[in-house]
């Protein structure tokens, strides 16, 4: 099992918006969409600022995405891949709801490995 | 080689164009000096737009001469110093001041004089011509205390003059010798339609009226006609045509045409060596050309020839499209069906006041010309089709008949051949415009205007240019769809209309009804802005919170390091010492970097998300409010101290600036909006660089619209002159609200006005004359905004739920973002550069994303 960390009650996350959380000193951007929860690195790779949680979320084509609030690049909420520059991406964290609490674990790729 | 001298006699529109071309085409660079002798005391101005002077356009604004143009040492403009004689043997000209100037080449551009019919009593008190700015000044002076006026001549200029008298509140009668108005341009039926439209405006018309004598009577002037009742008026304006001003040429022994005008060949050369004539004083290709476009073409020929080129002038298109007294009139090509076998197709709707006639070839396959009265919207597409090798649709009537789907009639820009002349004023073809897009990298109308000159003179082709740009871009695969984004097919303006008309109040309704998908960072903030413009509700409540860009979401301006800046409103730039102390104290307590903004307020940088409410609590408690620096909305109204303190001020600019800022604060708009108010013409507030600029005059205020700084700086254009504060505010209300209603996303006011068909005149018609019947709606919308405005930060602080979003970490609300680091510079903080931060602060590696 992974080390799941409880973050907050689900209701604390606004719908279709993000919030930042601290996970052992790392910054995670949590997003709550109609489809569920997403957790990505909070660091915008283009500016280096910890702001991804403050981006607008939506979709590009069929991909759910968050747009960086600094220079507006879009990132896939599920894969973390930058949709404007495929050489760049955000780390993806595992996220689940347990007994009404949002829980996060890192990193997602270790999970599937 | 020593420098050569080109002397230009006359500084009208064509004369000045020639000087511009001498510079643009490299004649000056090739070693020519240019000496210009002007008869008038002012540099060249837009004579075509002369009538707008009565509606507030200043002489300065009519000027065609860009600031500093004549600063070049190679150019010498001699105002108020007409040439009085030419010696073609000695190759010199002598001016009224007595200077004698030798020339290597001489261009006559003396223009024309107004024709005054040789009837008894045609000169004297109360009788004027309509030709120069001085004429207009005299007419305006005479109109003081006058009640009635007559214009002799019902042609193009006559109707312009009639409109001028009407705008001076004179009861006006147009007297025309021919049986109809504008006899040269329109046919009998078109004249009938025009007559009804003109009479509807309250102008009386007498056609088939031959004035025999003008008698001076005690109470004014009496026009006596061959038939019918005499007409008593206070003043008379002659506008019965023009005569080429060729007196100078005759004196010099140059050949002139039988009906007047300096006779020139197809190189525009007159009968003496190195002497040319251009514009209305020249008789070229068999006639004098009384329009500006052929004159410009002749100027091109002369400059080209001086550079050794082979250009010729063999005739020009006499097509015209005008808006006279707000009535569209256009004629183009063979409008009188003089081609053998030509057929006429006529569509007339007397109720709507529309008359259209197309002249087609005998097989109805090609367009030859036409006349449009009342609605000339099809003109830009039809004119280039006339005489072009384009086969018409099976039913040519489709070209002019109104379409049920509301689309503009006609075959569209795509049908035009590449050789078709799109801009007749600057002679720009469809091919040149397409090349500018394809190879010149132009991506919009403004770019094409700058690159080719198309649409820069009369503007009638701008709609067509826009279509061509769009077509060409889509051929290139460059999207210039007006669709907002992949989620909405509507443009921002269309979306606004849908929201307004259908009363939509939420994002989900809007998306479900008119969009698809989940939205994005383009459509969501646009929708948020539209909803806010219309109901002024708190911008972050309910669904609306998730639509906002981070600036609106945090009610602060995001900076590159993830911190925010805070800008409280300082209306008009006026700030009390107490507020200054509060600002200083807050900045000091929170360790913020402070800087004075360009908009006369104070920006405080380096605030973290969780600090924003604490900072604002202090500011709101001290009586300050949001400055909306984060919003697409009114920023500031910059002002000078005005009459109150300044020795030169003529109005209280500071008070007005504060009033305007408080009136429009918080109104969400398609882009940011800036205003400025200056207390006198010295313009210390730099108001003309703003979207709305107000400059005090002795009599009130002048209003300018459409200015901006930034990437493409632009001065605002004069919109109203000498108005009182009430009129000023009402007009700004309407223009601003119309902008909110109809502009595209992130379109500032200048491109918004430029993209409007009819431009500034159209805008003025809409908000001053209420030509679209929209003013009530605009007024109501603004009243609602003013009545319901509420400070967003005070509202935020009053509600704990609204404060919840100002959290650094949802699981550690009090912990500051550890990645934010500052260093000190000049006694203040600034963001640490990556190399200045400790390695532990930089987290989140750059990932190698595996391609699936």
């Amino acid at each position: 099992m992974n080390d799941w960390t409880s973050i907050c009650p689900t209701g604390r996350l606004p719908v279709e918006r993000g919030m930042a959380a601290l996970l052992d000193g790392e910054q995670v951007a949590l997003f709550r969409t109609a489809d569920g929860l997403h957790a990505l690195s909070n660091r915008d790779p283009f500016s280096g600022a910890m702001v991804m949680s403050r981006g607008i979320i939506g979709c590009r084509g069929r991909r759910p995405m968050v747009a960086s609030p600094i220079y507006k690049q879009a990132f896939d909420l599920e894969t973390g891949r930058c949709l404007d520059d495929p050489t760049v991406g955000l780390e993806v964290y595992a996220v689940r709801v347990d007994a009404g609490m949002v829980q996060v674990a890192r990193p997602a790729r270790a999970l599937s490995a | 080689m020593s420098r050569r001298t080109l002397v230009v006699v006359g500084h009208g529109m064509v004369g000045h164009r020639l000087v511009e071309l001498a510079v643009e085409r490299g004649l000056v660079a090739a070693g020519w000096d240019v000496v210009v002798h002007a008869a008038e005391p002012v540099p060249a101005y837009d004579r075509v737009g002369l009538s707008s002077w009565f509606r507030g356009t200043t002489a300065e604004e009519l000027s065609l001469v860009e600031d500093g143009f004549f600063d070049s040492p190679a150019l010498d403009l001699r105002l108020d110093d007409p040439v009085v004689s030419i010696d073609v043997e000695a190759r010199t000209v002598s001016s009224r001041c007595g200077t004698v100037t030798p020339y290597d080449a001489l261009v006559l551009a003396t223009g024309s004089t107004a024709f005054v019919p040789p009837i008894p009593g045609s000169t004297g008190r109360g009788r004027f011509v309509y030709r120069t700015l001085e004429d207009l000044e005299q007419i305006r002076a005479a109109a003081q205390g006058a009640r009635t006026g007559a214009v002799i001549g019902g042609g193009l200029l006559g109707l312009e003059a009639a409109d001028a008298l009407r705008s001076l509140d004179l009861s006006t009668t147009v007297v025309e010798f021919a049986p109809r108005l504008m006899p040269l341009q329109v046919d009998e039926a078109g004249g009938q339609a025009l007559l009804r439209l003109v009479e509807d405006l309250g102008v009386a018309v007498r056609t088939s009226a031959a004035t025999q004598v003008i008698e001076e009577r005690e109470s004014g002037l009496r026009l006596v006609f061959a038939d019918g009742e005499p007409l008593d008026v206070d003043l008379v304006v002659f506008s019965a045509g023009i005569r080429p001003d060729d007196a100078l040429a005759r004196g010099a022994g140059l050949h002139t045409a039988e009906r007047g005008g300096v006779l020139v060949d197809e190189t525009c050369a007159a009968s003496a060596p190195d002497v040319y004539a251009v514009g209305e004083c020249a008789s070229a290709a068999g006639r004098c050309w009384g329009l500006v476009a052929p004159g410009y073409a002749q100027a091109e020929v002369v400059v080209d020839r001086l550079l050794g080129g082979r250009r010729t002038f063999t005739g020009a298109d006499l097509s015209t499209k005008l808006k006279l007294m707000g009535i569209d009139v256009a004629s183009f090509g063979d409008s009188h069906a003089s081609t053998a076998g030509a057929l006429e197709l006529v569509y007339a709707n007397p109720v709507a006041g529309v008359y259209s006639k197309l002249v087609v070839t005998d097989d109805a396959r090609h367009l030859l010309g036409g006349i449009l009265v009342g609605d000339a919207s099809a003109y830009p597409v039809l004119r280039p089709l006339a005489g072009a090798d384009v086969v018409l649709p099976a039913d040519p009537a489709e070209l002019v008949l109104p379409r049920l789907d509301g689309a503009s009639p006609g075959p569209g820009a795509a049908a035009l051949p590449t050789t078709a002349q799109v801009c007749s004023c600057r002679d720009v073809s469809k091919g040149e415009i397409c090349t500018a897009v394809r190879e010149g990298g132009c991506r919009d109308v403004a770019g094409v205007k700058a690159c080719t000159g198309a649409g820069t003179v009369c503007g009638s082709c701008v709609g067509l240019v826009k279509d061509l740009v769009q077509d060409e871009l889509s051929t290139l695969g460059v999207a210039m769809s007006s669709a907002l984004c992949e989620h909405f097919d509507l443009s921002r303006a269309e979306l606004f209309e849908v929201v307004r008309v259908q009363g939509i109040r939420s994002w989900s309704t809007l998306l479900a009804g008119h969009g698809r998908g989940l939205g994005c960072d383009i459509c969501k903030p646009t929708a948020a802005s539209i909803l806010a413009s219309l109901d002024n509700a708190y911008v972050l409540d309910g669904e609306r919170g998730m639509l906002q860009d981070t600036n609106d979401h945090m009610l602060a301006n995001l900076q590159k390091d993830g911190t925010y800046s805070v800008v409280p409103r300082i209306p008009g730039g006026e700030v009390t010492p107490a507020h200054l102390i509060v600002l200083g104290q807050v900045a000091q307590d929170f360790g913020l970097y402070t800087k004075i903004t360009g908009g006369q307020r104070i920006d405080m940088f380096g605030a973290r998300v969780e600090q924003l409410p604490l900072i604002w609590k202090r500011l709101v408690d001290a009586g300050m409010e949001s400055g909306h620096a984060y919003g697409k909305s009114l920023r500031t109204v910059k002002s000078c101290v005005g009459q109150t303190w300044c020795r030169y001020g003529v109005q209280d600019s500071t008070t007005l600036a504060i009033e305007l800022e408080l009136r429009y604060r918080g109104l969400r708009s398609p882009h940011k909006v800036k205003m400025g108010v200056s207390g006198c013409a010295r313009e210390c507030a730099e108001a003309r660089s703003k979207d709305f600029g107000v400059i005090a005059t002795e009599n009130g205020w002048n209003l300018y619209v459409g200015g901006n700084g930034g990437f493409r700086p632009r001065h605002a254009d004069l919109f109203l002159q000498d108005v009182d504060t009430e009129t000023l505010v009402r007009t700004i209300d309407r223009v601003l609200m119309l902008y909110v209603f109809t502009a595209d996303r992130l379109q500032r006011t200048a491109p918004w006005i430029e993209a409007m068909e009819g431009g500034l005149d159209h805008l003025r018609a809409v908000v001053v004359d209420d030509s679209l019947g929209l003013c009530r709606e605009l007024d109501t919308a603004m009243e609602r905004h003013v009545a319901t405005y509420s400070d967003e930060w005070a509202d935020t602080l009053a509600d704990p739920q609204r404060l919840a979003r100002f959290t650094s970490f949802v699981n550690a609300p009090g912990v500051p973002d550890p990645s934010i680091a500052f260093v000190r510079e000049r006694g203040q903080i600034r963001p640490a550069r990556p190399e200045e931060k400790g390695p532990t602060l930089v987290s989140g590696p750059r990932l190698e994303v595996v391609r699936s």
Side-chain angles (χ1 to χ4, degrees), chain B residues 317-333:
Chain B
D317 181 9
L318 279 178
S319 301
T320 39
K321 179 192 170 200
L322 305 149
K323 212 175 195 60
L324 288 168
M325 311 165 121
I327 304 165
D328 276 343
V329 183
S331 79
F332 55 96

Side-chain angles (χ1 to χ4, degrees), chain A residues 5-8 12-13 15-23 25-27 30 35 41-43 45 47-51 54 56-62 64-65 67 69-72 79-82 85-92 109, chain B residues 486-487 507 516-522 524-525 544-550 553-554 558-564 609 804-805 807-813 815-820 837 841-852:
Chain A
T5 304
S6 291
I7 303 292
C8 63
R12 182 70 183 84
L13 295 181
V15 179
E16 303 243 340
R17 199 84 233 191
M19 287 288 261
L22 273 178
L23 183 69
E26 281 177 29
Q27 294 198 26
L30 291 172
D35 292 337
S41 165
N42 195 32
R43 183 175 182 272
S47 64
M50 296 286 183
V51 293
R54 297 179 226 152
I56 288 178
I57 61 179
C59 66
R60 186 178 287 183
R62 293 172 174 277
M65 65 91 190
I70 303 254
Y71 299 118
K72 316 296 179 195
T79 65
R81 182 197 310 258
C82 177
D85 179 353
T87 65
V88 179
L90 302 176
E91 192 161 7
V92 180
R109 283 188 299 172
Chain B
E486 65 177 81
H487 306 110
W507 161 255
R516 65 180 80 84
L518 304 172
C520 65
D521 54 316
I522 292 171
K524 279 181 160 183
R544 294 195 190 181
M546 59 98 163
L547 302 176
Q548 304 288 5
D549 189 19
T550 188
H553 194 236
M554 292 297 167
L558 179 68
Q559 303 300 325
K560 64 191 286 186
D561 65 342
T563 63
Y564 290 83
V609 172
R805 64 171 44 85
T807 302
S808 55
F809 299 105
V810 65
N811 57 344
V815 176
D817 175 352
S819 75
I820 295 172
K837 289 187 183 182
L841 289 178
V842 185
S843 60
R846 193 174 163 96
L847 279 191
E848 201 53 50
V849 174
V850 183
R851 285 171 194 272
S852 52

Side-chain angles (χ1 to χ4, degrees), chain B residues 585-656:
Chain B
Q585 202 63 56
V586 167
Q588 194 159 53
D589 293 352
F590 288 88
L592 306 175
Y593 168 81
T594 54
K595 193 168 191 307
I596 311 286
T597 72
Q600 300 185 330
R601 39 195 198 176
I602 294 169
D603 206 341
M604 299 181 283
F605 291 76
R608 298 189 309 272
V609 172
E610 72 278 9
Q611 291 178 314
L612 291 170
L614 306 171
I615 292 169
W616 273 106
K617 174 87 172 59
R618 297 266 299 270
L619 297 171
V620 169
D621 284 349
M624 305 190 80
E625 63 171 2
S626 168
H628 294 99
Y630 47 81
K632 299 284 179 255
S633 55
L634 175 75
R635 294 289 168 84
T636 70
V637 185
K638 187 173 177 177
S639 74
C640 64
V641 290
Q643 192 184 38
T644 317
W645 290 91
C646 177
R647 284 175 292 154
Y648 304 109
V650 292
Q651 303 285 348
D652 184 355
S653 50
T654 313
T655 299
L656 179 69

